[in-house]
């Protein structure tokens, strides 16, 4: 994780996708996960601004979801769609996400889960 420069500038969405995937490849180097990055939908032309804290939260949320919800084949694809990042290769039921972090009466309900805290932060 040390190879990521401080992010407080604008960058294109494709670069963010590639950076996230490369960092995850390092994290999961000793695992059976097959990580692949596939920026698309004109991601090289879409500029975004992201701070280091939001990048770290996004990275942790994605890794947490991979740890918990990866399918049996362990193929994980980090891609782009419109102005967002997509992680394919996960099997998530709505109930599973609601168990981690849900909102009732504008209050976040987090079930003692680091992933839930990150999801609430990103929201």
């Amino acid at each position: 994780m040390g190879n990521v420069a401080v992010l407080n500038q604008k960058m294109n969405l494709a670069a963010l996708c590639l950076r996230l995937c490369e960092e995850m490849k390092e994290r999961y180097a000793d695992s059976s996960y097959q990580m692949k990055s596939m920026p698309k939908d004109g991601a090289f032309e879409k500029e975004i601004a992201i701070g280091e804290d939001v990048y770290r939260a996004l990275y942790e949320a994605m890794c947490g979801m991979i740890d918990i919800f990866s399918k049996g084949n362990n193929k994980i694809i980090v891609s782009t769609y419109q102005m967002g990042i997509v992680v394919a290769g996960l099997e998530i039921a709505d109930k599973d996400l609601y168990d981690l972090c849900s909102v009732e009466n504008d209050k976040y309900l987090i079930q003692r889960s680091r992933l839930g805290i990150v999801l609430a932060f990103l929201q």
Side-chain angles (χ1 to χ4, degrees):
M1 285 197 277
N3 66 343
V4 177
V6 175
L7 299 170
N8 282 321
Q9 73 242 1
K10 289 189 177 185
M11 65 189 313
N12 67 51
L13 185 60
L16 175 63
C17 178
L18 294 168
R19 184 174 283 180
L20 285 165
C21 189
E22 286 304 311
E23 197 167 338
M24 284 189 279
K25 281 181 183 177
E26 287 179 25
R27 180 175 180 153
Y28 295 110
D30 296 331
S31 72
S32 62
Y33 292 123
Q34 299 173 19
M35 308 293 294
K36 184 176 183 182
S37 179
M38 294 180 63
K40 55 185 174 180
D41 296 327
F44 286 95
E45 289 82 38
K46 294 178 181 172
E47 217 173 70
I48 60 166
I50 185 168
E52 182 69 25
D53 54 345
V54 174
Y55 176 86
R56 286 284 137 223
L58 177 61
Y59 172 80
E60 289 300 325
M62 290 171 67
C63 290
M65 292 175 72
I66 289 168
D67 292 342
I68 296 169
F69 301 115
S70 66
K71 294 180 183 177
N73 62 12
N74 291 332
K75 292 181 183 177
I76 308 294
I77 299 171
V78 181
S79 185
T80 59
Y81 177 72
Q82 295 178 357
M83 287 299 288
I85 300 288
V86 176
V87 180
L90 305 177
E91 199 169 287
I92 306 172
D94 284 343
K95 181 196 172 301
D96 293 330
L97 283 180
Y98 291 133
D99 286 347
L100 293 173
C101 178
S102 59
V103 181
E104 285 184 15
N105 299 326
D106 295 326
K107 294 181 183 176
Y108 288 98
L109 305 175
I110 299 168
Q111 305 298 319
R112 295 183 184 210
S113 165
R114 209 167 142 223
L115 178 57
I117 292 168
V118 171
L119 290 172
F121 175 78
L122 288 172
Q123 182 67 27

